[in-house]
Amino acid sequence: MTTFAIYSNKGGVGKTAAAVNLGYLSAAGGRSTLICDLDPQAAATFYLRVRPELHAKAIGLHKGSAAVADSIKGSDYTGLDILPADFTHRELEIRYSRKKGSTRRLAKALGELQAEYDVVILDCPPSIGLLAENIFAVSDYLLTPLVPTTLSLRTYAQLKTFLREQHYDSARFYTFLSMVDRRKKMHQSISAEVQADEANILPGAIPYTSVIEQMGIRREPVPYSDPSSPAAIAYKQLWRGIEAELLGEM
Amino acid sequence: MQDRNAPPRRTYTPKPEQINALKALLEQGDSLELARLLGDDGSASLFVGRYTIRDEGMVRETRRYFDTFAWQLHQAGLVLIKSDHKLILETLDGAIKKRAPSPGNFRFASDLPAESLRADIEELIGVRALLEQASVDMATRRFAFLNEDEKTVVRLAVREYGPPVTRRDGTPFLEVFILPVRGYKEARKTLQQQCKHAGLVKTNHTPLYPELLAQARRQPGRYTAKPDFDLRPDMAGEAAVRSVLRKLHDVMLTNEMGIVEDIDTEFLHDFRTALRRTRSLLSQAKGILPEDARSDYQQRFRALGKLTNDLRDMDVYLLAQERYRAMLPTDLQPESEPLFDYLRRQRTIALRRVRNGLATQRHARLTAEWRDFLDEPVSPGSDAPQADIPIVVLARQRLLSQYRELINDGNLILETQDDTLMHPLRIDTKKLRYLLEFFSDILPGAEGAGFLKQLKSLQENLGEFNDLAVQRAYLIHVADELPIQKRANRRTLVVIGVLVDQMILRQTKVRQDFRDIFAAFAAPATQHTVARLLAMNGQTNGQEGKA
Ligand SMILES: Nc1ncnc2c1ncn2[C@@H]1O[C@H](COP(=O)(O)OP(=O)(O)O)[C@@H](O)[C@H]1O
Ligand SMILES: [Mg+2]
């Protein structure tokens, strides 16, 4: 089992799009996969057509990871499940405010689930607080989307500093290019620079395209709805890179 | 996977009058038809307004079930299944143990993808080939039930298998099953109720594979290279010996086909082991079997052994390829290719010789005459003086004298330091080992007290020593044979040089170990134990029970 956190200190960079599309590709390749929607915005949950329902019974991390397991929903795709947002968010918030300090609550809540799946993907909200520390503690790798703009590069540098402060092992930190607009000169030159300079960059630059934007309307992963689109191909390339570099053989 | 987390899949069998409707549904995928079949006539329906049904199409695939000739997976309660896109290691009762993407064609465990699947299977089957033992075609159509968000909340599948088209109990290989989606319990329950309401019968069918095997009249688990000899202590010597020889001949016959078809190297290995045991027993049967026949067959089986020697040698070299490569420094490893090419060519030649040899009239005659000889009623006028002596007595004699011979021959090596005697000593150990195997039922104590363990380690030590000697000599012979004009071959000579050097080093070590291993084996305490163990059985001589 391997846990990936799609993580960034910035919003709107394509984290959720990546979590859903990579999760779909992972399952389609035969790995049992769980997407954990940690973002109260619940975008990943929405993309997979799952309705946030709050059963009283489901509110209860204190019941251990068995209760968490009860909230998991199967997606429309074989091998892909989702832990909906509402649940995780509320739970975590309650827990954090009540007992401060622990960075391993998320790890505890997901404990047995991680063993049940080959791949767990965390769709994270932008956070550098306690939630971030929880995310670092539970994940094997961080995958950070990087939009090739000067501003993003600065936030990216801040992120690296933050990780260093957190003593996060840099070997577990990977990045990939996201929302790359081929028509923009600046995007092209920064992309080339990043690909040349960053040691931990994964292959497969995700293009800025309308098929990804339309995920919100179609509510389907791009490699499923439009498998031959450049976006789908880029996600497949990215996933193959992750498989080769981080997962090895099944 | 999804199904791993879900409740067990519920399967239904149609009532006879539903079969045609289901077959049409499978072919045409009409969702209205499905609603009708489930009893949704528009009134009192559980479905109305709740779910829409979407046909997800029909998929045809063939499942092929693999196991080795010796049914090693079956013995471990497993089977390897190849469907169009994946490989599944399943338990015999149908639970999935591991899965991996399908690699196309495979024959050996080493051809399989996915390290963990490969390792599991390799551990069970070693170098044996995976053979198709059964297969079945499946046509499956899935229907998704969608809620108001157009989210799939449960699925229903119709599946037909064939051939065969019916189970042994006469029910058709046609079924309906519910595929739950995790987290949507209510939808699953509703659909279950609806199936019940429609009169579908919930079934708990036995898994498919045993059913397919039974229908194909295949009986797993029948082969063994080591048959039980089932002797009784009071059997007459000749009858007992014939019965053991018959079982060994069965093993040889069973394996001939696999040698000729070159399925895997174990066929020849098992064949030769049975052959060596046969020859060994024949050599011990002086005075038990009629002498003319005994010495005649002894000689004919020796020739059969010789026929297969080269092929086995090549198998051994080629199976050890990885080990040889590992003995080389990395920069020399690619240069070993011409050597293995040469060995592969020699193997082809050796295989052709064996095939031809097994196809001769001479071999057919040996097979038929040997069988007749073994089945022949024990001749009353036998010239063999020990023919009627109880086998337990003969076994004890032979074992003791074989043990003594081994001790004497080993001591001679220690005195003379003559390494050419190592090979005959290895034969001694094998003979003793075979005798213990033949007679383990009637002399159960003979294997006791760590004696068998000591014998095994002596056998291993001598085996390795001799293998190294033979392989070293053979490599030097290959050096003579490789055309030296070729540039690549010159480097291969260096490879051979390194390998020979490594083998000499290893052989020296093995030779040193021999001293200690043999010393333990020949220690007076062990000798005493053996004598006592052998004497103890079948006959009470007053020593029994004394420490
Ligand atoms: N490669 C892309 N091309 C075009 N639009 C994108 C792309 N990736 C994301 N978007 C859109 O941008 C918005 C933010 O993306 P999202 O994946 O939710 O980011 P995050 O999870 O990092 O906040 C969404 O509306 C999404 O549809
Ligand atoms: Mg998001």
Side-chain angles (χ1 to χ4, degrees):
Chain A
M1 181 283 321
T2 310
T3 301
F4 298 102
I6 317 287
Y7 173 82
S8 171
N9 49 344
K10 208 168 169 283
V13 293
K15 292 188 296 292
T16 300
V20 170
N21 289 316
L22 295 178
Y24 169 79
L25 290 171
S26 168
R31 290 185 166 88
S32 61
T33 304
L34 176 71
I35 295 177
C36 296
D37 192 348
L38 299 182
D39 190 339
Q41 306 275 330
T45 306
F46 176 78
Y47 283 154
L48 291 172
R49 302 187 184 205
V50 172
R51 228 175 234 216
E53 309 162 48
L54 264 186
H55 295 302
K57 182 183 146 229
I59 310 177
L61 267 202
H62 52 284
K63 285 181 190 156
S65 59
V68 181
D70 278 349
S71 317
I72 291 177
K73 299 272 183 193
S75 74
D76 287 2
Y77 314 99
T78 309
L80 180 63
D81 291 352
I82 180 155
L83 182 59
D86 49 275
F87 171 75
T88 42
H89 169 60
R90 284 186 163 230
E91 270 319 309
L92 290 168
E93 215 167 44
I94 294 164
R95 302 283 290 175
Y96 296 148
S97 51
R98 229 186 273 149
K99 283 190 188 173
K100 282 223 155 76
S102 169
T103 55
R104 295 207 50 88
R105 296 228 171 92
L106 185 59
K108 251 174 138 174
L110 295 182
E112 282 163 35
L113 290 179
Q114 285 179 297
E116 204 178 311
Y117 291 91
D118 297 326
V119 168
V120 174
I121 295 179
L122 310 179
D123 182 27
C124 308
S127 153
I128 50 168
L130 188 56
L131 178 57
E133 289 178 44
N134 268 270
I135 288 165
F136 299 165
V138 76
S139 49
D140 298 302
Y141 300 102
L142 292 192
L143 308 179
T144 298
L146 175 55
V147 183
T149 64
T150 349
L151 195 64
S152 299
L153 281 182
R154 276 183 46 204
T155 347
Y156 180 70
Q158 287 165 2
L159 172 59
K160 289 215 275 193
T161 312
F162 174 61
L163 291 175
R164 215 168 306 126
E165 285 164 8
Q166 295 288 328
H167 305 291
Y168 191 84
D169 176 3
S170 61
R172 298 196 286 136
F173 172 59
Y174 283 80
T175 188
F176 61 94
L177 287 164
S178 178
M179 304 173 107
V180 182
D181 193 339
R182 293 192 196 289
R183 291 160 307 183
K184 293 190 179 149
K185 270 233 156 72
M186 186 188 64
H187 274 222
Q188 287 184 358
S189 64
I190 295 182
S191 293
E193 232 170 80
V194 168
Q195 273 163 336
D197 298 346
E198 284 293 315
N200 57 350
I201 186 130
L202 292 160
I206 310 303
Y208 188 86
T209 67
S210 58
V211 276
I212 299 180
E213 267 182 311
Q214 282 164 9
M215 276 175 73
I217 300 164
R218 302 178 71 159
R219 301 175 81 180
E220 287 169 348
V222 175
Y224 173 80
S225 63
D226 206 344
S228 56
S229 62
I233 291 167
Y235 279 120
K236 283 181 207 168
Q237 213 181 338
L238 173 58
W239 181 246
R240 268 202 301 274
I242 292 169
E243 278 186 318
E245 186 115 356
L246 309 178
L247 286 174
E249 269 190 292
M250 242 203 301
Chain B
M1 313 281 318
Q2 197 172 13
D3 9 327
R4 196 202 297 166
N5 308 321
R9 178 158 110 184
R10 192 164 289 188
T11 307
Y12 300 88
T13 312
K15 288 189 292 195
E17 64 269 25
Q18 290 171 319
I19 289 175
N20 285 337
L22 268 182
K23 285 195 173 177
L25 190 63
L26 180 67
E27 290 302 324
Q28 284 141 28
D30 181 342
S31 345
L32 279 177
E33 212 37 66
L34 172 60
R36 205 165 303 138
L37 186 95
L38 288 176
D40 191 342
D41 49 9
S43 65
S45 162
L46 294 160
F47 285 111
V48 171
R50 294 188 77 174
Y51 306 113
T52 45
I53 305 178
R54 187 164 67 198
D55 170 28
E56 293 190 320
M58 183 170 72
V59 177
R60 287 183 188 282
E61 64 177 339
T62 303
R63 284 185 160 220
R64 300 173 194 286
Y65 296 81
F66 288 85
D67 203 336
T68 64
F69 176 74
W71 297 95
Q72 287 151 303
L73 296 180
H74 198 277
Q75 271 161 22
L78 296 169
V79 60
L80 180 68
I81 305 172
K82 180 184 191 284
S83 67
D84 294 356
H85 301 293
K86 53 185 187 282
L87 280 178
I88 306 170
L89 184 63
E90 233 180 58
T91 64
L92 293 176
D93 33 75
I96 293 173
K97 252 199 97 184
K98 282 207 175 136
R99 58 172 109 209
S102 168
N105 290 331
F106 53 82
R107 199 156 139 222
F108 299 106
S110 55
D111 301 329
L112 296 172
E115 219 167 305
S116 81
L117 180 87
R118 180 168 56 229
D120 278 14
I121 292 183
E122 202 150 38
E123 196 183 319
L124 294 171
I125 72 170
V127 301
R128 291 228 81 142
L130 288 158
L131 308 173
E132 186 178 316
Q133 304 287 6
S135 81
V136 69
D137 294 329
M138 308 190 309
T140 311
R141 186 180 289 276
R142 299 204 309 185
F143 295 91
F145 290 73
L146 312 179
N147 66 10
E148 65 270 32
D149 296 324
E150 293 194 44
K151 165 80 178 67
T152 304
V153 288
V154 66
R155 285 185 176 85
L156 182 138
V158 185
R159 174 177 285 173
E160 188 175 28
Y161 301 93
V165 292
T166 55
R167 294 177 187 272
R168 277 171 296 170
D169 63 11
T171 53
F173 265 130
L174 179 69
E175 62 196 24
V176 171
F177 51 90
I178 294 176
L179 291 160
V181 175
R182 185 166 181 167
Y184 296 92
K185 205 153 114 192
E186 206 186 297
R188 169 172 58 87
K189 285 195 168 155
T190 310
L191 186 55
Q192 282 172 2
Q193 275 175 331
Q194 195 70 41
C195 285
K196 198 172 147 195
H197 173 72
L200 291 164
V201 189
K202 205 167 85 184
T203 46
N204 194 6
H205 274 310
T206 48
L208 203 56
Y209 180 50
E211 182 83 27
L212 295 173
L213 287 177
Q215 299 218 9
R217 300 189 189 290
R218 311 213 50 146
Q219 297 199 15
R222 292 287 297 274
Y223 173 75
T224 169
K226 289 193 169 170
D228 284 333
F229 295 111
D230 289 332
L231 298 181
R232 291 181 316 276
D234 56 350
M235 274 172 104
E238 179 164 11
V241 166
R242 282 173 194 258
S243 131
V244 171
L245 289 170
R246 213 168 351 209
K247 291 196 170 162
L248 293 172
H249 195 221
D250 286 341
V251 176
M252 287 168 63
L253 290 176
T254 312
N255 281 291
E256 258 188 41
M257 176 272 305
I259 299 172
V260 172
E261 293 188 2
D262 198 23
I263 292 171
D264 64 43
T265 55
E266 286 299 284
F267 288 94
L268 181 65
H269 176 69
D270 288 356
F271 177 88
R272 282 170 54 86
T273 307
L275 174 59
R276 268 201 312 272
R277 290 165 149 195
T278 299
R279 290 172 57 197
S280 186
L281 187 54
L282 278 173
S283 77
Q284 301 279 349
K286 247 186 216 159
I288 304 177
L289 294 176
E291 184 52 25
D292 285 353
R294 192 200 66 83
S295 64
D296 174 47
Y297 284 118
Q298 174 83 315
Q299 179 269 318
R300 289 162 82 181
F301 280 119
R302 186 185 309 126
L304 184 58
K306 239 176 130 185
L307 173 73
T308 61
N309 280 347
D310 287 352
L311 181 56
R312 178 60 193 168
D313 283 349
M314 293 308 129
D315 282 345
V316 170
Y317 297 133
L318 289 167
L319 287 172
Q321 267 180 82
E322 283 316 310
R323 227 169 359 95
Y324 283 140
R325 258 188 216 110
M327 287 160 83
L328 298 168
T330 7
D331 52 337
L332 271 183
Q333 283 174 5
E335 315 293 349
S336 62
E337 239 358 84
L339 170 62
F340 294 117
D341 279 346
Y342 177 84
L343 293 171
R344 276 188 283 269
R345 279 197 303 278
Q346 296 304 306
R347 183 181 186 277
T348 309
I349 296 169
L351 176 62
R352 197 177 315 132
R353 270 193 49 218
V354 169
R355 279 180 176 154
N356 291 342
L358 293 180
T360 54
Q361 271 303 314
R362 183 153 50 105
H363 182 66
R365 235 182 300 119
L366 173 59
T367 304
E369 287 172 16
W370 178 234
R371 201 66 196 185
D372 286 348
F373 170 74
L374 294 178
D375 289 345
E376 201 168 86
V378 176
S379 34
S382 172
D383 63 352
Q386 299 179 322
D388 297 328
I389 297 179
I391 189 64
V392 68
V393 177
L394 297 170
R396 206 180 300 123
Q397 279 176 1
R398 299 298 199 271
L399 270 163
L400 266 178
S401 79
Q402 191 58 42
Y403 178 65
R404 294 218 175 91
E405 193 176 330
L406 205 167
I407 302 287
N408 289 339
D409 291 351
N411 279 328
L412 194 64
I413 295 179
L414 293 186
E415 280 161 29
T416 61
Q417 296 294 332
D418 181 356
D419 285 356
T420 60
L421 297 177
M422 295 285 271
H423 180 63
L425 189 67
R426 181 194 191 184
I427 308 280
D428 285 344
T429 58
K430 278 195 177 172
K431 280 188 181 166
L432 183 60
R433 180 74 183 281
Y434 294 153
L435 284 173
L436 284 170
E437 285 168 358
F438 298 146
F439 304 130
S440 65
D441 289 335
I442 53 174
L443 294 172
E447 295 179 344
F451 172 63
L452 188 65
K453 221 174 118 199
Q454 282 184 334
L455 176 60
K456 276 184 186 166
S457 74
L458 179 61
Q459 218 184 329
E460 256 164 45
N461 174 270
L462 291 165
E464 190 176 358
F465 182 88
N466 283 290
D467 287 348
L468 286 165
V470 172
Q471 292 176 15
R472 202 148 58 81
Y474 184 73
L475 282 176
I476 291 168
H477 160 78
V478 175
D480 286 339
E481 297 289 312
L482 284 179
I484 196 74
Q485 315 79 288
K486 277 205 205 154
R487 222 188 137 71
N489 287 349
R490 275 178 253 162
R491 297 202 161 182
T492 307
L493 292 184
V494 180
V495 165
I496 290 177
V498 173
L499 289 177
V500 168
D501 182 54
Q502 295 277 322
M503 286 176 178
I504 292 173
L505 278 176
R506 176 72 197 152
Q507 218 183 344
T508 313
K509 167 85 174 65
V510 174
R511 180 65 177 81
Q512 277 163 6
D513 293 346
F514 167 74
R515 272 196 153 280
D516 295 338
I517 294 174
F518 182 76
F521 186 78
T526 315
Q527 293 200 40
H528 185 71
T529 315
V530 172
R532 194 158 47 80
L533 282 170
L534 288 174
M536 213 169 88
N537 287 284
Q539 186 186 328
T540 320
N541 61 2
Q543 298 232 351
E544 202 170 354
K546 284 188 192 167

